[in-house]
Amino acid sequence: MVFFRGVSSLSKLRSRLTQQSNLKNSVRWLQVQSSSDLDLLSQLRELIPQQQERLKKLKSEHGKVQLGNITVDMVIGGMRGMTGLLWETSLLDPDEGIRFRGLSIPECQKVLPAAKPDGEPLPEGLLWLLLTGKVPNKEQVDALSKELRARAVVPEYVYKAIDALPVTAHPMTQLTSGVMALQVESEFQKAYEKGIHKSKYWEPTYEDSLNLIARVPLVAAYVYRRIYKDGKIIPLDDSLDYGGNFSHMLGFDDPKMLELMRLYVTIHSDHEGGNVSAHTGHLVASALSDPYLSFGAALNGLAGPLHGLANQEVLLWIKSVVDECGENITKEQLKEYVWKTLNSGKVVPGFGHGVLRKTDPRYTCQREFALKHLPQDPLFQLVSNLYDVVPPILTELGKVKNPWPNVDAHSGVLLNYFGLTEARYFTVLFGVSRSIGICSQLIWDRALGLPLERPKSITMEWLENYCKKAASS
């Protein structure tokens, strides 16, 4: 199947040159990271003063440079397209997709350490990359993995807080409740109450963030086992990595499922700062709320159907296609079902994106995983056919800027294949992954001293009067 259709030759050339340049940089990072220093915290102590000075220079020398014009459409349309956030850990290009510290997903798959030869990247490696901008070696990733396991201790009262909810409560509600209960042990809150100097804010934030990243999989697995497996809990395995352990605690020990979880957590971890969950976490944290409060707020944004809950909606919609038309549905039948969905006032979940204007690279890498491990799966074949059927229909409608599939179009089918069939739980997986990106940026928010976020709002009357004056001048 051909991806990224309609890209001009110039765009392709630019993309290749950019990828080659970034791959050269990644080799440089690998050389830098060949040192024997296995401690992530010491790396940050060295990097932060350099980046503080870099930001100070940027502000003093270029603070008045204009980045663009704000239009009425942007104000009314949810600030879509406005450049207004500093987000160091990743950058989203409309054509190329996400880059983590300058590296594309294929480049991350190539250079980040894996659990086995030619395997998927370890999420711990991506965490190191997001925090330092450097590709770690395997020894550094193993040391970080060991540290996260040591931090993965959840107080009993956290589980009791979850148990106070009905078992029928949505999994995201239960996860958020658990995260809020974890907040009781916030190191940042304790340090702030004692009067810590603002130049040191990042240090307890680092402690909270790594504790949160380490403990969220345990809370998430508890929610899953509580709802779907009669509360039979599976303890953490001290021999497994972050993604592998998460899969294990959920109850899935197929080596291929462990690999899928490593890939899933890595590619869902961060997607620059403007999406709802990332922006919410950043906004709440700008008030000096601790990482638990900030991430809890981010999870509530992630739980919305227009954001993280979409991965649940995709699989439910695909299963509705199968229920009505059977697994061996033809493309013509599929077209009819897509039109039926659209004509009923609904959207086809898993297609379109607020920024991307091409196929989501996170979709592409999941497709490659499926081609490698489950090429004959009927639901995967249905997803492949949807790629051929849906974009032309959405293009014909003329209302969609991006008719191509996004990350949510594929993840549910992969999880379903390996036995994780409970679609209502899928957004919890997304939440676990997103802790890595949001917390990494939050540490840098504190280290760089980023201020309280406070944009200016206006009324419709103000807009109308402004536009009248502009038209008459």
Side-chain angles (χ1 to χ4, degrees):
M1 183 179 295
V2 180
F3 289 89
F4 303 102
R5 299 174 185 174
V7 179
S8 68
S9 299
L10 183 60
S11 296
K12 290 180 179 178
L13 177 60
R14 181 188 66 188
S15 177
R16 283 198 297 270
L17 291 174
T18 302
Q19 290 173 0
Q20 290 171 4
S21 174
N22 277 284
L23 196 54
K24 288 179 181 178
N25 288 337
S26 70
V27 172
R28 174 177 58 81
W29 286 333
L30 279 169
Q31 292 170 345
V32 170
Q33 290 296 89
S34 62
S35 67
S36 60
D37 187 357
L38 305 182
D39 182 33
L40 178 60
L41 182 58
S42 65
Q43 293 268 331
L44 286 175
R45 291 189 190 281
E46 180 180 340
L47 285 168
I48 284 174
Q50 302 169 9
Q51 296 304 307
Q52 288 172 332
E53 187 60 32
R54 180 185 177 192
L55 183 63
K56 182 180 179 181
K57 182 179 179 181
L58 189 63
K59 185 176 180 180
S60 64
E61 294 182 2
H62 307 291
K64 303 303 180 183
V65 173
Q66 294 186 356
L67 295 176
N69 296 318
I70 303 302
T71 66
V72 173
D73 278 342
M74 290 177 176
V75 173
I76 297 174
M79 298 190 289
R80 187 65 55 89
M82 289 185 186
T83 300
L85 289 172
L86 184 62
W87 194 267
E88 285 289 280
T89 51
S90 65
L91 183 66
L92 181 59
D93 183 89
D95 295 318
E96 293 183 358
I98 191 66
R99 284 186 176 272
F100 303 114
R101 290 287 190 170
L103 295 182
S104 67
I105 288 176
E107 288 169 347
C108 285
Q109 288 177 298
K110 184 174 182 179
V111 302
L112 287 179
K116 63 180 185 179
D118 298 320
E120 300 299 339
L122 290 164
E124 298 94 316
L126 186 74
L127 173 59
W128 191 292
L129 173 66
L130 294 182
L131 279 173
T132 68
K134 302 174 184 178
V135 174
N137 57 42
K138 185 62 164 60
E139 290 75 18
Q140 289 167 325
V141 170
D142 288 344
L144 180 54
S145 186
K146 182 178 180 181
E147 179 181 353
L148 290 174
R149 288 195 298 272
R151 292 173 178 266
V153 179
V154 176
E156 189 62 29
Y157 59 78
V158 174
Y159 298 129
K160 289 181 178 179
I162 297 172
D163 288 340
L165 293 168
V167 74
T168 55
H170 194 281
M172 283 297 286
T173 303
Q174 299 190 41
L175 175 65
T176 305
S177 299
V179 168
M180 294 305 298
L182 284 171
Q183 190 273 343
V184 173
E185 295 192 347
S186 170
E187 296 298 325
F188 180 84
Q189 183 187 45
K190 295 173 185 176
Y192 188 82
E193 289 175 350
K194 291 178 181 178
I196 186 174
H197 192 275
K198 63 182 180 180
S199 65
K200 300 292 185 181
Y201 282 170
W202 75 268
E203 295 181 2
T205 299
Y206 174 90
E207 294 301 322
D208 277 355
S209 295
L210 260 67
N211 284 339
L212 176 56
I213 291 169
R215 294 167 185 175
V216 161
L218 277 75
V219 176
Y222 183 85
V223 170
Y224 179 78
R225 303 296 298 184
R226 176 178 187 250
I227 298 174
Y228 302 111
K229 302 298 177 182
D230 299 322
K232 298 176 181 176
I233 308 305
I234 300 174
L236 180 145
D237 185 336
D238 201 46
S239 69
L240 287 173
D241 56 274
Y242 189 86
N245 241 322
F246 186 26
S247 180
H248 166 72
M249 289 186 293
L250 291 172
F252 303 95
D253 288 312
D254 184 330
K256 294 179 181 178
M257 178 60 170
L258 268 62
E259 279 290 278
L260 173 60
M261 194 60 70
R262 291 166 185 138
L263 176 65
Y264 185 102
V265 173
T266 297
I267 66 174
H268 285 80
S269 63
D270 204 27
H271 215 231
E272 78 168 23
N275 65 77
V276 171
S277 57
H279 186 196
T280 302
H282 175 81
L283 170 63
V284 174
S286 78
L288 293 186
S289 298
D290 63 59
Y292 298 98
L293 296 173
S294 305
F295 184 62
L299 287 176
N300 287 326
L302 191 69
L306 295 183
H307 191 20
L309 203 71
N311 56 10
Q312 164 187 312
E313 301 301 309
V314 169
L315 186 63
L316 294 176
W317 184 82
I318 288 175
K319 287 189 173 182
S320 74
V321 175
V322 174
D323 291 341
E324 183 166 324
C325 306
E327 288 185 346
N328 298 318
I329 183 174
T330 66
K331 288 186 179 180
E332 286 302 316
Q333 290 175 309
L334 199 51
K335 288 180 182 179
E336 291 178 8
Y337 196 89
V338 170
W339 276 115
K340 176 183 175 181
T341 299
L342 295 172
N343 290 333
S344 68
K346 301 177 182 178
V347 299
V348 179
F351 285 79
H353 192 273
V355 176
L356 287 170
R357 294 297 173 257
K358 297 289 186 259
T359 299
D360 192 335
R362 298 172 299 175
Y363 172 97
T364 305
C365 72
Q366 289 182 100
R367 173 175 170 76
E368 291 169 351
F369 185 94
L371 287 170
K372 182 178 180 181
H373 296 295
L374 49 135
Q376 303 305 317
D377 177 57
L379 291 186
F380 166 58
Q381 293 177 351
L382 177 55
V383 167
S384 296
N385 287 334
L386 284 170
Y387 186 93
D388 290 333
V389 168
V390 175
I393 292 176
L394 295 180
T395 301
E396 182 181 339
L397 284 175
K399 299 179 180 179
V400 180
K401 293 182 179 179
N402 173 26
W404 305 106
N406 57 50
V407 65
D408 298 318
H410 217 307
S411 56
V413 168
L414 298 179
L415 297 166
N416 184 81
Y417 178 82
F418 290 106
L420 209 170
T421 59
E422 299 86 1
R424 291 180 82 235
Y425 184 79
F426 288 171
T427 312
V428 172
L429 304 176
F430 202 156
V432 171
S433 307
R434 193 47 61 92
S435 69
I436 291 176
I438 289 175
C439 288
S440 294
Q441 178 59 40
L442 177 51
I443 292 168
W444 278 104
D445 288 350
R446 296 282 196 265
L448 296 174
L450 298 188
L452 176 71
E453 186 175 305
R454 179 58 172 88
K456 179 73 177 75
S457 65
I458 51 180
T459 65
M460 278 199 287
E461 181 182 13
W462 188 99
L463 274 179
E464 290 165 346
N465 291 336
Y466 180 88
C467 292
K468 287 177 183 178
K469 290 178 183 178
S472 61
S473 62

